[in-house]
Coordinates of all heavy atoms in Angstrom, one line a residue:
M13 N 0.8 -1.2 0.0 CA 0.0 0.0 0.0 C 0.9 1.2 0.0 O 1.8 1.4 0.8 CB -0.9 -0.1 1.2 CG -1.8 1.3 1.4 SD -2.8 1.2 2.8 CE -4.0 -0.1 2.4
P14 N 0.6 2.2 -0.9 CA 1.5 3.4 -0.9 C 1.2 4.3 0.4 O 0.2 4.2 1.1 CB 0.9 4.2 -2.1 CG -0.5 3.6 -2.4 CD -0.4 2.2 -1.8
P15 N 2.3 5.0 0.7 CA 2.1 5.9 1.9 C 1.0 6.9 1.7 O 0.7 7.3 0.6 CB 3.5 6.6 2.0 CG 4.1 6.5 0.7 CD 3.5 5.2 0.1
A16 N 0.4 7.3 2.8 CA -0.7 8.3 2.7 C -0.1 9.6 2.2 O 1.1 9.9 2.5 CB -1.3 8.5 4.1
S17 N -0.9 10.3 1.4 CA -0.5 11.6 0.8 C -0.6 12.7 1.9 O -1.3 12.5 2.8 CB -1.2 11.9 -0.4 OG -2.6 12.1 -0.1
I18 N 0.3 13.7 1.7 CA 0.3 14.8 2.6 C -0.3 16.0 1.8 O 0.2 16.3 0.7 CB 1.7 15.1 3.1 CG1 2.3 14.0 4.0 CG2 1.8 16.5 3.9 CD1 3.7 14.1 4.3
P19 N -1.3 16.7 2.3 CA -1.9 17.8 1.5 C -0.9 19.0 1.3 O -0.2 19.4 2.3 CB -3.1 18.3 2.4 CG -3.4 17.1 3.2 CD -2.1 16.4 3.5
I20 N -0.8 19.4 0.1 CA 0.0 20.6 -0.2 C -1.0 21.6 -0.8 O -2.1 21.3 -1.3 CB 1.1 20.3 -1.1 CG1 0.7 19.7 -2.4 CG2 2.1 19.3 -0.5 CD1 1.8 19.4 -3.5
R21 N -0.6 22.9 -0.8 CA -1.4 23.9 -1.3 C -0.6 25.0 -2.0 O 0.7 25.1 -1.8 CB -2.3 24.6 -0.2 CG -1.5 25.3 0.8 CD -2.4 26.1 1.8 NE -1.6 26.7 2.8 CZ -1.0 27.9 2.7 NH1 -1.0 28.5 1.5 NH2 -0.3 28.4 3.7
V22 N -1.2 25.8 -2.8 CA -0.6 26.9 -3.4 C -0.6 28.2 -2.4 O -1.6 28.4 -1.9 CB -1.3 27.3 -4.8 CG1 -0.6 28.6 -5.3 CG2 -1.1 26.2 -5.8
D23 N 0.5 28.8 -2.3 CA 0.5 30.0 -1.4 C 0.4 31.3 -2.5 O 1.2 31.6 -3.2 CB 1.9 30.2 -0.7 CG 1.9 31.4 0.2 OD1 1.1 32.4 -0.2 OD2 2.6 31.4 1.2
H24 N -0.8 31.8 -2.4 CA -1.1 32.8 -3.4 C -0.4 34.2 -3.2 O -0.4 35.0 -4.2 CB -2.6 33.1 -3.5 CG -3.4 31.8 -3.9 ND1 -3.3 31.3 -5.1 CD2 -4.1 30.9 -3.2 CE1 -4.0 30.2 -5.3 NE2 -4.5 30.0 -4.1
E25 N 0.3 34.3 -2.1 CA 1.1 35.5 -1.9 C 2.3 35.4 -2.8 O 2.9 36.4 -3.2 CB 1.5 35.6 -0.4 CG 0.3 35.9 0.5 CD -0.3 37.3 0.1 OE1 0.4 38.3 0.0 OE2 -1.6 37.4 0.1
A26 N 2.8 34.2 -3.0 CA 4.0 33.9 -3.8 C 3.8 33.5 -5.2 O 4.6 33.7 -6.1 CB 4.9 32.9 -3.1
C27 N 2.7 32.9 -5.5 CA 2.4 32.3 -6.8 C 2.3 33.4 -7.9 O 1.7 34.5 -7.6 CB 1.1 31.5 -6.7 SG 0.5 30.9 -8.4
T28 N 2.9 33.2 -9.0 CA 2.9 34.2 -10.1 C 1.9 33.8 -11.2 O 1.7 34.4 -12.2 CB 4.3 34.3 -10.8 OG1 4.6 33.0 -11.4 CG2 5.4 34.6 -9.9
E29 N 1.1 32.6 -10.9 CA 0.1 32.2 -11.8 C 0.7 31.8 -13.2 O 0.1 32.0 -14.2 CB -1.0 33.1 -11.9 CG -1.6 33.4 -10.6 CD -2.9 34.2 -10.6 OE1 -3.4 34.5 -11.7 OE2 -3.4 34.5 -9.5
C30 N 1.9 31.2 -13.2 CA 2.5 30.9 -14.5 C 2.0 29.7 -15.1 O 2.2 29.4 -16.2 CB 4.1 30.7 -14.3 SG 4.5 29.2 -13.4
R31 N 1.3 28.9 -14.3 CA 0.6 27.6 -14.7 C 1.5 26.4 -14.9 O 1.0 25.4 -15.4 CB -0.4 27.8 -15.8 CG 0.2 28.1 -17.2 CD -0.9 28.5 -18.2 NE -1.4 27.2 -18.8 CZ -2.6 27.1 -19.3 NH1 -3.4 28.1 -19.3 NH2 -3.0 26.0 -19.9
M32 N 2.7 26.5 -14.6 CA 3.6 25.3 -14.8 C 3.2 24.1 -14.0 O 3.2 22.9 -14.5 CB 5.1 25.7 -14.5 CG 5.8 26.4 -15.6 SD 5.8 25.6 -17.2 CE 6.7 24.0 -16.9
C33 N 2.8 24.3 -12.8 CA 2.3 23.1 -12.0 C 1.1 22.4 -12.6 O 1.0 21.2 -12.7 CB 2.0 23.6 -10.6 SG 0.7 24.9 -10.5
Y34 N 0.2 23.2 -13.1 CA -1.0 22.8 -13.8 C -0.6 22.0 -15.1 O -1.0 20.8 -15.3 CB -1.8 24.0 -14.3 CG -3.1 23.6 -15.1 CD1 -4.2 23.3 -14.4 CD2 -3.1 23.8 -16.4 CE1 -5.4 23.0 -15.1 CE2 -4.3 23.6 -17.1 CZ -5.4 23.1 -16.4 OH -6.5 22.9 -17.2
V35 N 0.3 22.5 -15.9 CA 0.8 21.7 -17.1 C 1.5 20.4 -16.7 O 1.3 19.3 -17.3 CB 1.7 22.6 -17.9 CG1 2.4 21.9 -19.0 CG2 0.9 23.9 -18.4
V36 N 2.4 20.4 -15.7 CA 3.1 19.3 -15.4 C 2.2 18.2 -14.8 O 2.3 17.1 -15.2 CB 4.2 19.7 -14.3 CG1 4.8 18.4 -13.7 CG2 5.3 20.5 -14.9
C37 N 1.3 18.6 -14.0 CA 0.4 17.6 -13.4 C -0.6 17.0 -14.4 O -0.9 15.8 -14.4 CB -0.4 18.2 -12.3 SG -1.0 17.0 -11.1
R38 N -0.9 17.8 -15.4 CA -1.7 17.3 -16.5 C -0.9 16.3 -17.4 O -1.3 15.3 -17.9 CB -2.3 18.4 -17.4 CG -3.4 19.0 -16.8 CD -4.0 20.0 -17.8 NE -4.7 19.4 -18.9 CZ -5.9 19.0 -18.9 NH1 -6.7 19.1 -17.8 NH2 -6.4 18.4 -20.0
E39 N 0.4 16.7 -17.5 CA 1.3 15.8 -18.4 C 1.5 14.4 -17.9 O 1.6 13.5 -18.7 CB 2.6 16.5 -18.6 CG 3.5 15.9 -19.6 CD 3.1 16.2 -21.0 OE1 2.4 17.1 -21.3 OE2 3.5 15.3 -21.8
I40 N 1.4 14.3 -16.6 CA 1.6 12.9 -16.0 C 0.2 12.3 -15.7 O 0.1 11.3 -15.1 CB 2.5 12.9 -14.8 CG1 2.0 13.9 -13.7 CG2 3.9 13.3 -15.2 CD1 2.8 13.9 -12.4
D41 N -0.8 13.0 -16.1 CA -2.2 12.5 -16.1 C -2.7 12.3 -14.7 O -3.5 11.5 -14.4 CB -2.3 11.2 -16.9 CG -3.7 11.0 -17.3 OD1 -4.5 12.0 -17.6 OD2 -4.1 9.8 -17.5
L42 N -2.3 13.2 -13.8 CA -2.8 13.1 -12.4 C -3.8 14.1 -12.2 O -4.8 14.0 -11.4 CB -1.7 13.3 -11.4 CG -0.8 12.0 -11.3 CD1 0.3 12.3 -10.3 CD2 -1.6 10.7 -10.8
N43 N -3.7 15.3 -12.8 CA -4.7 16.4 -12.9 C -5.2 16.8 -11.5 O -6.3 17.0 -11.2 CB -5.9 15.9 -13.7 CG -5.5 15.5 -15.1 OD1 -5.0 16.3 -15.9 ND2 -5.9 14.3 -15.5
A44 N -4.2 17.0 -10.6 CA -4.5 17.5 -9.3 C -4.6 18.9 -9.1 O -5.2 19.5 -8.2 CB -3.5 16.9 -8.3
V45 N -4.0 19.6 -10.1 CA -4.0 21.1 -10.1 C -5.2 21.6 -10.9 O -5.4 21.1 -12.0 CB -2.7 21.7 -10.6 CG1 -2.7 23.2 -10.5 CG2 -1.5 21.1 -9.8
Y46 N -6.0 22.5 -10.4 CA -7.1 23.0 -11.1 C -7.3 24.5 -10.8 O -6.6 25.1 -10.0 CB -8.4 22.2 -10.6 CG -8.8 22.5 -9.2 CD1 -9.7 23.4 -8.9 CD2 -8.2 21.8 -8.1 CE1 -10.1 23.6 -7.5 CE2 -8.4 22.0 -6.8 CZ -9.5 23.0 -6.5 OH -9.8 23.2 -5.3
V47 N -8.1 25.0 -11.7 CA -8.4 26.5 -11.5 C -9.7 26.6 -10.8 O -10.8 26.1 -11.3 CB -8.6 27.2 -12.9 CG1 -8.9 28.6 -12.8 CG2 -7.2 27.0 -13.7
A48 N -9.6 27.3 -9.6 CA -10.9 27.5 -8.9 C -11.5 28.8 -9.3 O -10.9 29.8 -9.3 CB -10.5 27.6 -7.4
P49 N -12.8 28.7 -9.7 CA -13.5 29.9 -10.2 C -13.6 31.0 -9.2 O -13.5 32.2 -9.5 CB -14.9 29.3 -10.5 CG -14.8 27.9 -10.7 CD -13.7 27.5 -9.7
E50 N -13.7 30.7 -8.0 CA -13.8 31.6 -6.8 C -12.6 31.5 -5.9 O -12.2 30.4 -5.6 CB -15.1 31.5 -6.0 CG -16.4 31.6 -6.8 CD -16.5 33.0 -7.4 OE1 -15.9 34.0 -6.8 OE2 -17.3 33.2 -8.4
P51 N -12.0 32.6 -5.4 CA -12.6 34.0 -5.7 C -11.9 34.6 -7.0 O -12.6 35.5 -7.6 CB -12.0 34.7 -4.5 CG -10.7 34.0 -4.1 CD -10.9 32.6 -4.5
R52 N -10.8 34.1 -7.5 CA -10.2 34.8 -8.7 C -9.5 33.9 -9.6 O -8.5 34.2 -10.1 CB -9.2 35.9 -8.2 CG -9.9 37.1 -7.4 CD -8.9 38.2 -7.2 NE -7.9 37.9 -6.2 CZ -6.6 37.7 -6.5 NH1 -6.1 38.0 -7.6 NH2 -5.7 37.5 -5.4
H53 N -10.1 32.8 -9.9 CA -9.6 31.9 -10.9 C -8.1 31.6 -10.6 O -7.2 31.6 -11.5 CB -9.8 32.4 -12.4 CG -11.2 32.5 -12.8 ND1 -12.0 33.6 -12.5 CD2 -12.0 31.6 -13.4 CE1 -13.2 33.4 -13.1 NE2 -13.2 32.2 -13.5
R54 N -7.9 31.2 -9.4 CA -6.5 30.9 -9.0 C -6.2 29.4 -9.1 O -7.2 28.6 -9.0 CB -6.2 31.4 -7.6 CG -6.4 32.8 -7.4 CD -6.0 33.4 -6.1 NE -6.8 32.9 -5.0 CZ -6.8 33.4 -3.8 NH1 -6.1 34.4 -3.5 NH2 -7.5 32.8 -2.8
F55 N -5.0 29.1 -9.1 CA -4.6 27.6 -9.2 C -4.7 27.1 -7.8 O -4.3 27.7 -6.9 CB -3.2 27.4 -9.7 CG -3.1 27.7 -11.2 CD1 -2.6 29.0 -11.6 CD2 -3.6 26.8 -12.1 CE1 -2.5 29.3 -12.9 CE2 -3.5 27.2 -13.5 CZ -3.1 28.4 -13.9
E56 N -5.2 25.9 -7.7 CA -5.4 25.1 -6.4 C -5.0 23.7 -6.6 O -4.9 23.2 -7.8 CB -6.8 25.2 -5.8 CG -7.4 26.6 -5.7 CD -6.7 27.4 -4.5 OE1 -5.9 26.8 -3.7 OE2 -7.2 28.5 -4.3
I57 N -4.6 23.0 -5.5 CA -4.2 21.6 -5.7 C -5.3 20.7 -4.9 O -5.5 21.0 -3.7 CB -2.8 21.4 -5.0 CG1 -1.8 22.2 -5.8 CG2 -2.5 19.9 -5.0 CD1 -0.4 22.3 -5.2
D58 N -5.8 19.8 -5.6 CA -6.9 18.9 -5.0 C -6.2 17.8 -4.1 O -5.5 16.9 -4.7 CB -7.6 18.3 -6.1 CG -8.8 17.4 -5.6 OD1 -8.9 17.2 -4.4 OD2 -9.7 16.9 -6.4
P59 N -6.3 17.8 -2.8 CA -5.7 16.8 -2.0 C -6.2 15.4 -2.3 O -5.5 14.4 -2.0 CB -6.0 17.3 -0.6 CG -7.2 18.1 -0.7 CD -7.1 18.8 -2.0
A60 N -7.3 15.2 -2.8 CA -7.8 13.9 -3.1 C -7.2 13.3 -4.4 O -7.3 12.1 -4.6 CB -9.4 14.1 -3.4
R61 N -6.5 14.1 -5.2 CA -5.8 13.6 -6.4 C -4.3 13.7 -6.3 O -3.6 12.9 -6.9 CB -6.4 14.4 -7.6 CG -7.8 14.4 -7.9 CD -8.2 15.0 -9.2 NE -7.6 14.2 -10.3 CZ -8.4 13.4 -11.1 NH1 -9.6 13.3 -10.8 NH2 -7.9 12.7 -12.1
C62 N -3.8 14.6 -5.5 CA -2.4 14.9 -5.4 C -1.7 13.7 -4.7 O -2.2 13.3 -3.7 CB -2.1 16.1 -4.8 SG -0.3 16.5 -4.5
L63 N -0.6 13.2 -5.2 CA 0.2 12.1 -4.5 C 1.3 12.5 -3.7 O 2.0 11.6 -3.2 CB 0.6 11.1 -5.6 CG -0.5 10.5 -6.5 CD1 0.0 9.5 -7.5 CD2 -1.6 9.8 -5.6
Y64 N 1.5 13.8 -3.5 CA 2.7 14.2 -2.7 C 2.6 13.6 -1.3 O 1.5 13.5 -0.7 CB 2.7 15.7 -2.5 CG 3.7 16.2 -1.6 CD1 5.0 16.4 -2.0 CD2 3.5 16.4 -0.2 CE1 6.1 16.8 -1.1 CE2 4.5 16.7 0.7 CZ 5.7 17.0 0.2 OH 6.8 17.4 1.1
P65 N 3.7 13.0 -0.7 CA 5.1 13.1 -1.2 C 5.5 12.0 -2.2 O 6.6 11.9 -2.6 CB 5.9 13.0 0.1 CG 5.0 12.1 1.0 CD 3.7 12.5 0.6
G66 N 4.6 11.1 -2.5 CA 4.8 10.1 -3.5 C 5.1 10.6 -4.9 O 5.8 10.0 -5.8
C67 N 4.7 11.8 -5.2 CA 4.9 12.6 -6.4 C 5.5 13.9 -6.0 O 4.9 14.6 -5.1 CB 3.7 12.6 -7.2 SG 3.9 13.8 -8.7
T68 N 6.5 14.4 -6.8 CA 6.9 15.8 -6.5 C 7.2 16.4 -7.8 O 8.0 17.4 -7.9 CB 8.2 15.7 -5.7 OG1 9.2 15.0 -6.4 CG2 8.1 15.1 -4.3
A69 N 6.5 16.0 -8.9 CA 6.9 16.4 -10.3 C 6.8 17.9 -10.5 O 7.6 18.4 -11.1 CB 6.0 15.6 -11.2
C70 N 5.8 18.5 -9.9 CA 5.7 19.9 -10.2 C 6.6 20.9 -9.5 O 6.8 22.0 -9.9 CB 4.2 20.4 -9.9 SG 3.8 20.1 -8.1
L71 N 7.2 20.4 -8.4 CA 8.0 21.3 -7.5 C 9.2 21.9 -8.1 O 9.5 23.1 -8.0 CB 8.3 20.6 -6.2 CG 7.2 19.9 -5.4 CD1 7.7 19.2 -4.2 CD2 6.2 20.9 -5.1
M72 N 9.9 21.1 -9.0 CA 11.1 21.7 -9.6 C 10.7 22.7 -10.8 O 11.5 23.5 -11.1 CB 12.0 20.6 -10.1 CG 13.3 21.1 -10.7 SD 14.3 21.9 -9.4 CE 15.2 20.6 -8.7
Y73 N 9.5 22.5 -11.3 CA 9.2 23.4 -12.4 C 8.6 24.7 -11.9 O 8.5 25.7 -12.7 CB 8.1 22.7 -13.2 CG 8.6 21.6 -14.0 CD1 8.7 20.2 -13.6 CD2 9.2 21.7 -15.3 CE1 9.2 19.2 -14.3 CE2 9.8 20.7 -16.1 CZ 9.7 19.4 -15.5 OH 10.3 18.4 -16.2
C74 N 8.2 24.8 -10.7 CA 7.6 26.1 -10.2 C 8.8 27.1 -10.1 O 9.8 26.8 -9.4 CB 6.9 25.8 -8.9 SG 6.3 27.4 -8.1
P75 N 8.6 28.3 -10.7 CA 9.7 29.3 -10.7 C 9.6 30.2 -9.5 O 10.5 31.1 -9.3 CB 9.4 30.0 -12.0 CG 7.9 30.0 -12.1 CD 7.5 28.7 -11.6
A76 N 8.6 30.1 -8.7 CA 8.3 31.2 -7.6 C 8.6 30.6 -6.2 O 7.8 29.8 -5.7 CB 6.9 31.7 -7.7
P77 N 9.7 30.9 -5.6 CA 10.1 30.2 -4.3 C 8.9 30.5 -3.3 O 8.4 31.5 -3.1 CB 11.3 31.1 -3.9 CG 12.0 31.4 -5.2 CD 10.8 31.8 -6.2
G78 N 8.6 29.3 -2.7 CA 7.6 29.4 -1.6 C 6.1 29.3 -2.0 O 5.2 29.4 -1.2
S79 N 5.9 29.1 -3.3 CA 4.5 29.3 -3.8 C 3.8 27.9 -3.7 O 2.6 27.8 -3.9 CB 4.5 29.8 -5.2 OG 5.1 28.9 -6.0
I80 N 4.5 26.8 -3.4 CA 3.8 25.5 -3.1 C 4.3 25.1 -1.7 O 5.6 25.1 -1.5 CB 4.0 24.4 -4.1 CG1 3.6 24.9 -5.5 CG2 3.4 23.1 -3.7 CD1 3.9 23.9 -6.7
V81 N 3.4 24.8 -0.8 CA 3.8 24.5 0.7 C 3.0 23.3 1.1 O 2.0 23.0 0.6 CB 3.5 25.8 1.5 CG1 4.2 27.0 1.0 CG2 2.0 26.1 1.6
E82 N 3.5 22.7 2.2 CA 2.8 21.7 2.9 C 1.6 22.5 3.6 O 1.9 23.4 4.4 CB 3.7 20.9 3.8 CG 4.6 20.0 3.1 CD 5.4 19.1 3.9 OE1 5.4 19.3 5.2 OE2 6.1 18.2 3.5
A83 N 0.4 22.0 3.5 CA -0.7 22.7 4.0 C -0.7 22.8 5.5 O -1.0 23.9 6.0 CB -2.0 22.0 3.5
A84 N -0.3 21.8 6.2 CA -0.4 21.8 7.6 C 0.7 22.6 8.2 O 0.5 23.4 9.2 CB -0.4 20.4 8.2
S85 N 1.9 22.4 7.8 CA 3.0 23.1 8.5 C 3.4 24.4 7.8 O 4.1 25.2 8.4 CB 4.2 22.2 8.4 OG 4.7 22.0 7.0
G86 N 3.0 24.7 6.6 CA 3.5 25.8 5.8 C 4.9 25.7 5.3 O 5.4 26.6 4.7
R87 N 5.6 24.5 5.4 CA 6.9 24.3 4.9 C 6.9 24.5 3.4 O 6.1 23.9 2.6 CB 7.3 22.9 5.2 CG 8.7 22.5 4.7 CD 8.9 21.0 4.8 NE 10.3 20.7 4.6 CZ 10.7 19.5 4.3 NH1 9.9 18.5 4.2 NH2 12.0 19.3 4.1
S88 N 7.8 25.4 3.0 CA 8.0 25.7 1.6 C 8.5 24.4 0.8 O 9.5 23.8 1.2 CB 9.0 26.8 1.4 OG 9.3 27.0 -0.1
L89 N 8.0 24.2 -0.4 CA 8.5 23.1 -1.2 C 9.1 23.5 -2.6 O 9.5 22.7 -3.3 CB 7.3 22.1 -1.4 CG 6.7 21.5 -0.3 CD1 5.5 20.6 -0.6 CD2 7.7 20.6 0.5
V90 N 9.2 24.9 -2.6 CA 9.8 25.4 -3.8 C 10.9 26.4 -3.5 O 10.6 27.4 -2.9 CB 8.8 26.2 -4.7 CG1 9.4 26.8 -6.0 CG2 7.6 25.2 -5.1
P91 N 12.2 26.1 -3.8 CA 12.6 24.9 -4.5 C 12.5 23.7 -3.6 O 12.5 23.9 -2.4 CB 14.1 25.2 -4.8 CG 14.5 26.2 -3.7 CD 13.2 27.0 -3.5
P92 N 12.4 22.5 -4.1 CA 12.1 21.3 -3.3 C 13.3 21.0 -2.4 O 14.5 20.9 -2.9 CB 11.9 20.2 -4.4 CG 12.5 20.7 -5.6 CD 12.4 22.1 -5.6
P93 N 13.1 20.7 -1.2 CA 14.2 20.4 -0.2 C 14.7 19.0 -0.6 O 14.0 18.2 -1.2 CB 13.5 20.3 1.2 CG 12.2 21.1 1.0 CD 11.8 21.0 -0.4
P94 N 16.0 18.8 -0.3 CA 16.6 17.5 -0.8 C 15.9 16.3 -0.3 O 15.9 15.3 -0.9 CB 18.0 17.7 -0.1 CG 18.3 19.1 0.0 CD 16.9 19.7 0.3
D95 N 15.3 16.3 0.9 CA 14.7 15.1 1.4 C 13.3 14.8 0.7 O 12.8 13.7 0.8 CB 14.5 15.2 2.9 CG 13.5 16.4 3.3 OD1 13.8 17.5 2.9 OD2 12.4 16.1 3.9
V96 N 12.9 15.9 0.1 CA 11.6 15.7 -0.7 C 12.0 15.4 -2.2 O 11.3 14.5 -2.8 CB 10.8 17.0 -0.7 CG1 9.7 17.1 -1.7 CG2 10.3 17.3 0.7
W97 N 13.0 16.0 -2.7 CA 13.3 15.8 -4.2 C 14.2 14.6 -4.4 O 15.4 14.7 -4.8 CB 13.9 17.1 -4.7 CG 14.3 17.0 -6.1 CD1 15.5 17.2 -6.8 CD2 13.4 17.1 -7.2 NE1 15.4 17.1 -8.1 CE2 14.1 17.1 -8.4 CE3 12.0 17.0 -7.3 CZ2 13.5 17.1 -9.7 CZ3 11.4 17.1 -8.6 CH2 12.2 17.1 -9.7
T98 N 13.7 13.4 -4.1 CA 14.4 12.2 -4.2 C 14.1 11.5 -5.5 O 13.0 11.8 -6.1 CB 14.1 11.2 -3.1 OG1 12.7 10.9 -3.0 CG2 14.6 11.7 -1.8
S99 N 15.0 10.7 -6.1 CA 14.9 10.3 -7.5 C 13.6 9.4 -7.6 O 13.0 9.3 -8.7 CB 16.1 9.5 -7.8 OG 16.3 8.4 -7.0
D100 N 13.2 8.7 -6.6 CA 12.0 7.8 -6.7 C 10.7 8.5 -6.5 O 9.6 7.9 -6.7 CB 12.1 6.6 -5.8 CG 12.1 7.2 -4.3 OD1 12.5 8.3 -4.1 OD2 11.8 6.4 -3.4
R101 N 10.7 9.9 -6.4 CA 9.5 10.6 -6.1 C 9.3 11.7 -7.2 O 8.3 12.4 -7.2 CB 9.5 11.3 -4.8 CG 9.5 10.3 -3.6 CD 9.5 11.1 -2.3 NE 9.4 10.1 -1.2 CZ 9.6 10.5 0.1 NH1 9.8 11.8 0.4 NH2 9.5 9.6 1.1
R102 N 10.2 11.8 -8.2 CA 10.1 12.9 -9.1 C 8.9 12.7 -10.0 O 8.3 13.6 -10.4 CB 11.4 13.1 -9.9 CG 12.5 13.6 -8.9 CD 13.8 13.6 -9.5 NE 14.8 13.9 -8.5 CZ 16.2 13.8 -8.6 NH1 16.6 13.5 -9.8 NH2 16.9 14.1 -7.6
V103 N 8.7 11.4 -10.3 CA 7.5 11.1 -11.1 C 6.9 9.8 -10.4 O 7.7 8.9 -10.0 CB 7.7 10.8 -12.5 CG1 6.4 10.3 -13.2 CG2 8.3 12.0 -13.2
P104 N 5.6 9.7 -10.1 CA 5.1 8.5 -9.4 C 5.5 7.2 -10.1 O 5.4 7.2 -11.3 CB 3.6 8.8 -9.4 CG 3.4 10.2 -9.7 CD 4.6 10.6 -10.4
R105 N 5.7 6.3 -9.3 CA 6.0 4.9 -9.9 C 4.7 4.5 -10.7 O 3.6 4.7 -10.4 CB 6.2 4.0 -8.8 CG 7.6 4.1 -8.1 CD 7.7 3.0 -7.1 NE 8.9 3.3 -6.3 CZ 10.2 3.1 -6.7 NH1 10.4 2.6 -7.9 NH2 11.2 3.4 -5.9
G106 N 5.1 3.8 -11.8 CA 4.0 3.2 -12.7 C 3.7 4.2 -13.8 O 2.9 3.9 -14.7
I107 N 4.1 5.5 -13.7 CA 3.7 6.5 -14.7 C 4.9 6.7 -15.7 O 4.7 6.7 -17.0 CB 3.3 7.8 -14.1 CG1 2.0 7.6 -13.4 CG2 3.2 8.9 -15.1 CD1 1.5 8.8 -12.7
A108 N 6.1 6.8 -15.2 CA 7.3 7.0 -16.1 C 8.0 5.6 -16.3 O 7.8 4.7 -15.5 CB 8.2 7.9 -15.6
Ligands
LIG207 S1 2.9 16.7 -6.5 FE1 2.4 15.6 -8.3 S2 0.3 15.0 -8.0 FE2 0.7 16.7 -6.6 S3 0.2 18.6 -7.7 FE3 2.4 18.2 -8.1 S4 2.5 17.0 -10.0 FE4 0.4 17.0 -9.3
LIG208 S1 4.1 26.7 -10.9 FE1 4.2 27.9 -9.0 S2 4.1 30.0 -9.6 FE2 3.4 28.8 -11.3 S3 1.1 28.6 -11.0 FE3 2.0 26.8 -10.0 S4 2.3 27.5 -7.9 FE4 2.0 29.3 -9.1

C-alpha cells in the first residue's frame, strides 16, 4: 500500500500564476491542479488527487520560491528540499 499523501497547497502570496504546476500535473495525467472559479480563478491543488510526497513532479518546475507549501506546516516546497526531491519521487511509480 502506498504511503498516505500529505496535503499541499498553493501560497497565493508567492504564486505568479505561471501555470507550470498545472501543465506538469496534466502531463503525467494526475490532474490534481485545477483552476478554482472563486475567488479569482487561482490555481489550487486537490488533495484527493495529489500524490505528494509520492509525487513531486511539479515542484522543480515552479519558478516562484515558496509558492507551493505543505498545507499543515506551511513548509516551503519550492525549491524542493533535498529530502523531498528524491529520485524515486520525481514522477510517481508506474507512470514513467
Ligand atoms: S505533487 Fe504531483 S500530483 Fe501533486 S500537484 Fe504536483 S505534480 Fe500533481
Ligand atoms: S508553478 Fe508555482 S508560480 Fe506557477 S502557477 Fe504553479 S504554484 Fe504558481
